[in-house]
Short mmCIF file of all heavy atoms in Angstrom, two decimals:
data_model
loop_
_atom_site.label_atom_id
_atom_site.label_comp_id
_atom_site.label_asym_id
_atom_site.label_seq_id
_atom_site.Cartn_x
_atom_site.Cartn_y
_atom_site.Cartn_z
N LEU A 6 61.26 -60.06 127.50
CA LEU A 6 61.69 -58.69 127.72
C LEU A 6 60.58 -57.92 128.43
O LEU A 6 59.45 -57.79 127.90
CB LEU A 6 62.01 -58.03 126.36
CG LEU A 6 62.37 -56.54 126.37
CD1 LEU A 6 63.58 -56.27 127.28
CD2 LEU A 6 62.67 -56.06 124.94
N TRP A 7 60.90 -57.39 129.63
CA TRP A 7 59.89 -56.76 130.43
C TRP A 7 60.00 -55.26 130.52
O TRP A 7 59.04 -54.58 130.87
CB TRP A 7 59.94 -57.33 131.87
CG TRP A 7 59.56 -58.77 131.97
CD1 TRP A 7 60.37 -59.83 132.26
CD2 TRP A 7 58.24 -59.32 131.77
NE1 TRP A 7 59.66 -61.00 132.26
CE2 TRP A 7 58.35 -60.73 131.94
CE3 TRP A 7 57.00 -58.78 131.43
CZ2 TRP A 7 57.26 -61.58 131.82
CZ3 TRP A 7 55.93 -59.62 131.30
CH2 TRP A 7 56.04 -61.01 131.50
N ARG A 8 61.19 -54.72 130.23
CA ARG A 8 61.30 -53.26 130.28
C ARG A 8 62.40 -52.81 129.31
O ARG A 8 63.45 -53.45 129.24
CB ARG A 8 61.63 -52.77 131.68
CG ARG A 8 61.47 -51.27 131.88
CD ARG A 8 61.56 -50.85 133.34
NE ARG A 8 62.92 -51.04 133.87
CZ ARG A 8 63.88 -50.13 133.78
NH1 ARG A 8 63.68 -48.99 133.17
NH2 ARG A 8 65.05 -50.37 134.31
N ALA A 9 62.12 -51.76 128.59
CA ALA A 9 63.06 -51.23 127.60
C ALA A 9 62.74 -49.75 127.39
O ALA A 9 61.70 -49.25 127.83
CB ALA A 9 62.95 -51.96 126.28
N SER A 10 63.66 -49.03 126.76
CA SER A 10 63.41 -47.64 126.44
C SER A 10 63.93 -47.34 125.05
O SER A 10 64.87 -47.98 124.57
CB SER A 10 64.08 -46.72 127.47
OG SER A 10 65.48 -46.99 127.53
N VAL A 11 63.31 -46.37 124.43
CA VAL A 11 63.70 -45.98 123.06
C VAL A 11 64.93 -45.06 123.15
O VAL A 11 64.96 -44.14 123.93
CB VAL A 11 62.54 -45.24 122.36
CG1 VAL A 11 62.92 -44.81 120.98
CG2 VAL A 11 61.28 -46.11 122.33
N VAL A 12 65.91 -45.38 122.29
CA VAL A 12 67.16 -44.59 122.26
C VAL A 12 67.54 -44.37 120.80
O VAL A 12 67.09 -45.08 119.89
CB VAL A 12 68.31 -45.31 123.00
CG1 VAL A 12 67.99 -45.44 124.49
CG2 VAL A 12 68.59 -46.69 122.38
N PRO A 13 68.37 -43.37 120.53
CA PRO A 13 68.86 -43.17 119.17
C PRO A 13 69.70 -44.38 118.74
O PRO A 13 70.35 -45.03 119.54
CB PRO A 13 69.71 -41.91 119.27
CG PRO A 13 69.30 -41.24 120.52
CD PRO A 13 68.87 -42.32 121.46
N GLY A 14 69.72 -44.65 117.46
CA GLY A 14 70.50 -45.74 116.93
C GLY A 14 69.92 -46.26 115.63
O GLY A 14 68.71 -46.12 115.38
N SER A 15 70.75 -46.85 114.81
CA SER A 15 70.28 -47.41 113.57
C SER A 15 71.13 -48.61 113.20
O SER A 15 72.29 -48.75 113.63
CB SER A 15 70.33 -46.37 112.45
OG SER A 15 71.68 -45.92 112.25
N GLY A 16 70.57 -49.48 112.40
CA GLY A 16 71.22 -50.68 111.96
C GLY A 16 70.23 -51.65 111.39
O GLY A 16 69.04 -51.31 111.29
N VAL A 17 70.66 -52.82 111.04
CA VAL A 17 69.74 -53.84 110.57
C VAL A 17 68.84 -54.26 111.72
O VAL A 17 69.34 -54.53 112.85
CB VAL A 17 70.52 -55.07 110.05
CG1 VAL A 17 69.57 -56.18 109.63
CG2 VAL A 17 71.44 -54.67 108.91
N PRO A 18 67.51 -54.28 111.56
CA PRO A 18 66.62 -54.64 112.66
C PRO A 18 67.04 -55.95 113.33
O PRO A 18 67.25 -56.97 112.66
CB PRO A 18 65.25 -54.77 111.98
CG PRO A 18 65.31 -53.81 110.84
CD PRO A 18 66.74 -53.90 110.34
N GLY A 19 67.19 -55.92 114.65
CA GLY A 19 67.64 -57.08 115.40
C GLY A 19 69.14 -57.08 115.65
O GLY A 19 69.63 -57.91 116.43
N GLU A 20 69.87 -56.16 115.02
CA GLU A 20 71.31 -56.08 115.22
C GLU A 20 71.64 -55.54 116.61
O GLU A 20 71.04 -54.55 117.04
CB GLU A 20 71.95 -55.20 114.15
CG GLU A 20 73.44 -54.98 114.28
CD GLU A 20 73.97 -53.99 113.29
OE1 GLU A 20 73.19 -53.49 112.42
OE2 GLU A 20 75.19 -53.70 113.34
N VAL A 21 72.57 -56.19 117.28
CA VAL A 21 73.00 -55.72 118.58
C VAL A 21 73.99 -54.58 118.38
O VAL A 21 75.09 -54.80 117.84
CB VAL A 21 73.64 -56.84 119.42
CG1 VAL A 21 74.16 -56.30 120.73
CG2 VAL A 21 72.60 -57.95 119.68
N LEU A 22 73.63 -53.39 118.78
CA LEU A 22 74.49 -52.22 118.58
C LEU A 22 75.47 -52.01 119.72
O LEU A 22 76.56 -51.48 119.50
CB LEU A 22 73.62 -50.96 118.42
CG LEU A 22 72.58 -50.99 117.30
CD1 LEU A 22 71.77 -49.70 117.29
CD2 LEU A 22 73.25 -51.19 115.94
N GLN A 23 75.10 -52.46 120.91
CA GLN A 23 75.99 -52.33 122.06
C GLN A 23 75.63 -53.38 123.08
O GLN A 23 74.45 -53.63 123.34
CB GLN A 23 75.85 -50.94 122.67
CG GLN A 23 76.87 -50.64 123.80
CD GLN A 23 76.74 -49.22 124.32
OE1 GLN A 23 75.94 -48.42 123.82
NE2 GLN A 23 77.53 -48.89 125.33
N ALA A 24 76.63 -54.05 123.62
CA ALA A 24 76.40 -55.10 124.61
C ALA A 24 77.56 -55.16 125.58
O ALA A 24 78.53 -55.87 125.37
CB ALA A 24 76.18 -56.45 123.95
N GLU A 25 77.49 -54.35 126.64
CA GLU A 25 78.53 -54.35 127.64
C GLU A 25 78.01 -53.75 128.94
O GLU A 25 77.16 -52.86 128.91
CB GLU A 25 79.74 -53.57 127.16
CG GLU A 25 79.48 -52.12 126.78
CD GLU A 25 80.71 -51.41 126.22
OE1 GLU A 25 81.80 -51.92 126.44
OE2 GLU A 25 80.53 -50.36 125.59
N GLY A 26 78.55 -54.24 130.04
CA GLY A 26 78.13 -53.69 131.37
C GLY A 26 76.66 -53.85 131.59
O GLY A 26 76.14 -54.96 131.65
N ASP A 27 75.98 -52.74 131.71
CA ASP A 27 74.53 -52.76 131.90
C ASP A 27 73.80 -52.21 130.69
O ASP A 27 72.68 -51.71 130.82
CB ASP A 27 74.14 -51.98 133.17
CG ASP A 27 74.57 -50.52 133.10
OD1 ASP A 27 75.22 -50.15 132.12
OD2 ASP A 27 74.24 -49.78 134.05
N THR A 28 74.42 -52.29 129.53
CA THR A 28 73.83 -51.71 128.32
C THR A 28 73.72 -52.75 127.22
O THR A 28 74.71 -53.38 126.82
CB THR A 28 74.69 -50.50 127.82
OG1 THR A 28 74.83 -49.56 128.87
CG2 THR A 28 74.04 -49.86 126.60
N LEU A 29 72.50 -52.92 126.74
CA LEU A 29 72.25 -53.78 125.59
C LEU A 29 71.29 -53.04 124.69
O LEU A 29 70.12 -52.80 125.05
CB LEU A 29 71.63 -55.12 126.04
CG LEU A 29 71.24 -56.12 124.93
CD1 LEU A 29 72.43 -56.46 124.05
CD2 LEU A 29 70.64 -57.37 125.54
N VAL A 30 71.78 -52.63 123.54
CA VAL A 30 71.00 -51.81 122.62
C VAL A 30 70.79 -52.59 121.33
O VAL A 30 71.76 -53.15 120.77
CB VAL A 30 71.69 -50.47 122.31
CG1 VAL A 30 70.88 -49.66 121.31
CG2 VAL A 30 71.86 -49.68 123.62
N VAL A 31 69.55 -52.61 120.86
CA VAL A 31 69.19 -53.36 119.66
C VAL A 31 68.56 -52.46 118.65
O VAL A 31 67.68 -51.64 118.95
CB VAL A 31 68.22 -54.51 120.03
CG1 VAL A 31 67.87 -55.34 118.80
CG2 VAL A 31 68.79 -55.40 121.13
N ALA A 32 68.99 -52.58 117.38
CA ALA A 32 68.43 -51.78 116.30
C ALA A 32 67.00 -52.26 115.97
O ALA A 32 66.70 -53.45 116.00
CB ALA A 32 69.29 -51.89 115.07
N CYS A 33 66.17 -51.32 115.65
CA CYS A 33 64.77 -51.61 115.28
C CYS A 33 64.47 -50.99 113.93
O CYS A 33 65.33 -50.39 113.29
CB CYS A 33 63.81 -51.06 116.33
SG CYS A 33 64.09 -51.72 117.99
N GLY A 34 63.24 -51.11 113.46
CA GLY A 34 62.86 -50.56 112.18
C GLY A 34 63.04 -49.05 112.13
O GLY A 34 63.30 -48.49 111.09
N ALA A 35 62.86 -48.41 113.27
CA ALA A 35 63.14 -46.97 113.43
C ALA A 35 63.67 -46.78 114.83
O ALA A 35 63.09 -47.28 115.79
CB ALA A 35 61.88 -46.16 113.20
N GLN A 36 64.81 -46.13 114.95
CA GLN A 36 65.52 -45.94 116.22
C GLN A 36 65.91 -47.30 116.82
O GLN A 36 66.04 -48.30 116.09
CB GLN A 36 64.65 -45.12 117.23
CG GLN A 36 64.32 -43.72 116.72
CD GLN A 36 63.54 -42.94 117.76
OE1 GLN A 36 62.37 -43.19 118.00
NE2 GLN A 36 64.23 -41.96 118.40
N ALA A 37 66.20 -47.33 118.10
CA ALA A 37 66.70 -48.53 118.74
C ALA A 37 66.10 -48.69 120.13
O ALA A 37 65.52 -47.73 120.66
CB ALA A 37 68.22 -48.50 118.82
N LEU A 38 66.24 -49.88 120.70
CA LEU A 38 65.75 -50.14 122.04
C LEU A 38 66.94 -50.47 122.96
O LEU A 38 67.76 -51.31 122.59
CB LEU A 38 64.78 -51.32 122.07
CG LEU A 38 63.29 -51.05 121.83
CD1 LEU A 38 62.54 -52.37 122.03
CD2 LEU A 38 62.76 -49.99 122.77
N ALA A 39 66.95 -49.82 124.11
CA ALA A 39 67.85 -50.23 125.18
C ALA A 39 67.04 -51.19 126.06
O ALA A 39 66.01 -50.81 126.60
CB ALA A 39 68.32 -49.03 125.98
N LEU A 40 67.55 -52.41 126.19
CA LEU A 40 66.85 -53.44 126.97
C LEU A 40 67.29 -53.33 128.45
O LEU A 40 68.50 -53.29 128.73
CB LEU A 40 67.14 -54.83 126.44
CG LEU A 40 67.06 -55.00 124.88
CD1 LEU A 40 67.14 -56.48 124.53
CD2 LEU A 40 65.81 -54.38 124.31
N HIS A 41 66.36 -53.37 129.35
CA HIS A 41 66.68 -53.15 130.77
C HIS A 41 66.38 -54.34 131.67
O HIS A 41 67.19 -54.69 132.51
CB HIS A 41 65.90 -51.92 131.30
CG HIS A 41 66.18 -50.67 130.57
ND1 HIS A 41 67.45 -50.19 130.38
CD2 HIS A 41 65.34 -49.79 129.93
CE1 HIS A 41 67.41 -49.06 129.68
NE2 HIS A 41 66.13 -48.80 129.42
N THR A 42 65.21 -54.95 131.52
CA THR A 42 64.81 -56.06 132.39
C THR A 42 64.39 -57.26 131.52
O THR A 42 63.53 -57.13 130.66
CB THR A 42 63.63 -55.66 133.30
OG1 THR A 42 64.00 -54.50 134.03
CG2 THR A 42 63.31 -56.78 134.29
N LEU A 43 65.04 -58.40 131.79
CA LEU A 43 64.81 -59.59 130.99
C LEU A 43 64.57 -60.81 131.89
O LEU A 43 64.83 -60.75 133.10
CB LEU A 43 65.99 -59.85 130.04
CG LEU A 43 66.39 -58.69 129.15
CD1 LEU A 43 67.64 -58.04 129.71
CD2 LEU A 43 66.65 -59.15 127.73
N GLN A 44 64.20 -61.91 131.28
CA GLN A 44 63.94 -63.13 132.02
C GLN A 44 64.31 -64.32 131.15
O GLN A 44 63.74 -64.52 130.07
CB GLN A 44 62.48 -63.21 132.46
CG GLN A 44 62.12 -64.42 133.29
CD GLN A 44 60.67 -64.38 133.74
OE1 GLN A 44 59.88 -63.56 133.29
NE2 GLN A 44 60.29 -65.29 134.62
N ARG A 45 65.26 -65.12 131.60
CA ARG A 45 65.65 -66.34 130.90
C ARG A 45 64.68 -67.46 131.27
O ARG A 45 63.99 -67.42 132.31
CB ARG A 45 67.08 -66.74 131.26
CG ARG A 45 68.10 -65.67 130.89
CD ARG A 45 69.50 -66.14 131.13
NE ARG A 45 69.96 -67.06 130.08
CZ ARG A 45 71.18 -67.58 130.01
NH1 ARG A 45 72.07 -67.25 130.94
NH2 ARG A 45 71.52 -68.38 129.04
N PRO A 46 64.58 -68.51 130.44
CA PRO A 46 63.67 -69.63 130.75
C PRO A 46 63.91 -70.21 132.12
O PRO A 46 65.04 -70.52 132.50
CB PRO A 46 64.00 -70.66 129.65
CG PRO A 46 64.55 -69.83 128.51
CD PRO A 46 65.30 -68.70 129.17
N GLY A 47 62.86 -70.32 132.93
CA GLY A 47 62.95 -70.86 134.25
C GLY A 47 63.50 -69.92 135.30
O GLY A 47 63.59 -70.27 136.48
N GLY A 48 63.87 -68.70 134.89
CA GLY A 48 64.49 -67.76 135.81
C GLY A 48 63.53 -66.67 136.24
O GLY A 48 62.35 -66.67 135.93
#
């Protein structure tokens, strides 16, 4: 994970709160992270 931003949200830490289009939001210990730039193995 190379880029993310803090967004409102709550849930079990690691829970995917939203996953569609260009939005992937993950619950954290406090608030949530919107993930923006990622890299798969070898990619």
Side-chain angles (χ1 to χ4, degrees):
L6 175 56
W7 293 111
R8 193 170 68 86
S10 57
V11 179
V12 296
S15 62
V17 177
E20 177 185 357
V21 176
L22 302 179
Q23 186 177 358
E25 57 183 342
D27 60 356
T28 303
L29 178 57
V30 178
V31 182
C33 302
Q36 299 183 287
L38 271 186
L40 314 189
H41 301 306
T42 305
L43 307 102
Q44 183 178 8
R45 300 185 77 176

